[in-house]
Amino acid sequence: MSYELKMPAEWEEHTATLMHWPSNHETWPGERLERVENVYLDILKSLSRFEKILLLAETIQVQERIEILFSKKEINKENISIKVYPVNDVWARDCGPIFVKRDNEFVITDWEYNAWGEKYPPWDSDNRVPKFLADQYGMDRISTNIVLEGGSIDVNGVGDLLTTESVLLNLNRNPDLTKEEIEQKLEKYLGAKNIIWLKSGLAGDDTDGHIDDL
């Protein structure tokens, strides 16, 4: 029996937000790491007032540092769940699971992630985040076998999808797939009936032009 899958709109209610704690010294060299940590602390402090957060920490040592910083910033941990997982970097929106509705339940669609066209290795651990979370929470996971980052699409929950040719048609993502074949994947796994292609996103963007920058 086949089921229709549909990705909810970004503004619909959700259970929690997924975040990765910054700990990559190549992305955040020297004092930049402490600066971005402070930004994340501000985000976590504000967001946790309204909803639950699942925070992935690269190692036990990183988790211990987070706990210390939480105490210093007087962050209420009641709505924050920390799990140790060897994240490569912070880009949870791009590499994390994309939840879709199947009848009255949610399932995880697992898209391939290659750090925006293999620009920033390693990315193998981030690519396995959807499987890790599906295993953690006992959820069904559907592998799509196509490279797609969460930031490269935007949907309204009723069949319309926005994306850019500069990303999804880029040879550094899916060189063996045609535009029509990619559209078939978007319809099959996200319920996209009307796909609106923009030529590109913002100039100079490392992602090649993610729609969420616009």
Side-chain angles (χ1 to χ4, degrees):
M1 181 180 294
S2 62
Y3 295 91
E4 183 179 5
L5 305 177
K6 186 179 76 170
M7 182 180 176
E10 187 164 338
W11 52 84
E12 292 186 36
E13 290 187 9
H14 55 271
T15 301
T17 291
L18 173 67
M19 296 180 67
H20 298 183
W21 183 260
S23 55
N24 187 320
H25 289 274
E26 291 190 14
T27 307
W28 319 105
E31 52 85 28
R32 288 185 64 190
L33 180 60
E34 185 174 345
R35 282 164 51 197
V36 77
E37 282 182 333
N38 285 326
V39 171
Y40 268 64
L41 290 168
D42 289 341
I43 294 171
L44 286 158
K45 188 169 187 176
S46 296
L47 193 58
S48 62
R49 294 170 50 209
F50 304 101
E51 63 183 64
K52 295 183 182 299
I53 298 166
L54 175 60
L55 180 62
L56 300 186
E58 184 179 7
T59 63
I60 293 175
Q61 291 74 25
V62 171
Q63 181 185 18
E64 291 171 346
R65 173 169 175 76
I66 294 170
E67 299 280 1
I68 292 170
L69 292 173
F70 277 10
S71 297
K72 288 182 178 179
K73 289 281 188 175
E74 298 182 341
I75 294 177
N76 185 345
K77 296 182 291 183
E78 182 178 351
N79 276 342
I80 304 174
S81 174
I82 304 174
K83 290 188 181 294
V84 175
Y85 177 82
V87 291
N88 300 125
D89 217 323
V90 298
W91 316 113
R93 178 185 177 98
D94 285 345
C95 68
I98 294 181
F99 292 88
V100 298
K101 289 181 179 178
R102 183 178 65 189
D103 285 349
N104 294 319
E105 65 174 349
F106 281 100
V107 298
I108 284 174
T109 55
D110 185 353
W111 305 76
E112 296 300 311
Y113 172 75
N114 68 354
W116 316 296
E118 303 184 359
K119 292 185 179 72
Y120 300 104
W123 59 80
D124 56 317
S125 189
D126 281 354
N127 189 39
R128 292 192 295 269
V129 167
K131 183 181 186 305
F132 170 72
L133 295 179
D135 292 343
Q136 285 283 310
Y137 295 100
M139 297 188 67
D140 286 348
R141 177 177 61 92
I142 301 171
S143 295
T144 66
N145 300 312
I146 171 177
V147 175
L148 178 142
E149 303 96 39
S152 70
I153 57 170
D154 201 359
V155 302
N156 64 359
V158 292
D160 298 313
L161 181 145
L162 276 168
T163 190
T164 57
E165 294 181 356
S166 60
V167 173
L168 287 196
L169 301 187
N170 198 309
L171 293 179
N172 63 18
R173 282 357 187 247
N174 302 290
D176 299 326
L177 294 179
T178 65
K179 184 176 185 178
E180 290 72 23
E181 289 170 329
I182 291 173
E183 287 184 334
Q184 289 169 8
K185 296 272 191 178
L186 296 175
E187 180 175 2
K188 179 179 180 179
Y189 296 113
L190 301 177
K193 308 292 186 184
N194 177 40
I195 299 168
I196 301 165
W197 292 89
L198 302 186
K199 289 295 182 183
S200 61
L202 299 180
D205 175 16
D206 281 356
T207 70
D208 300 314
H210 270 187
I211 194 70
D212 68 352
D213 283 342
L214 299 177

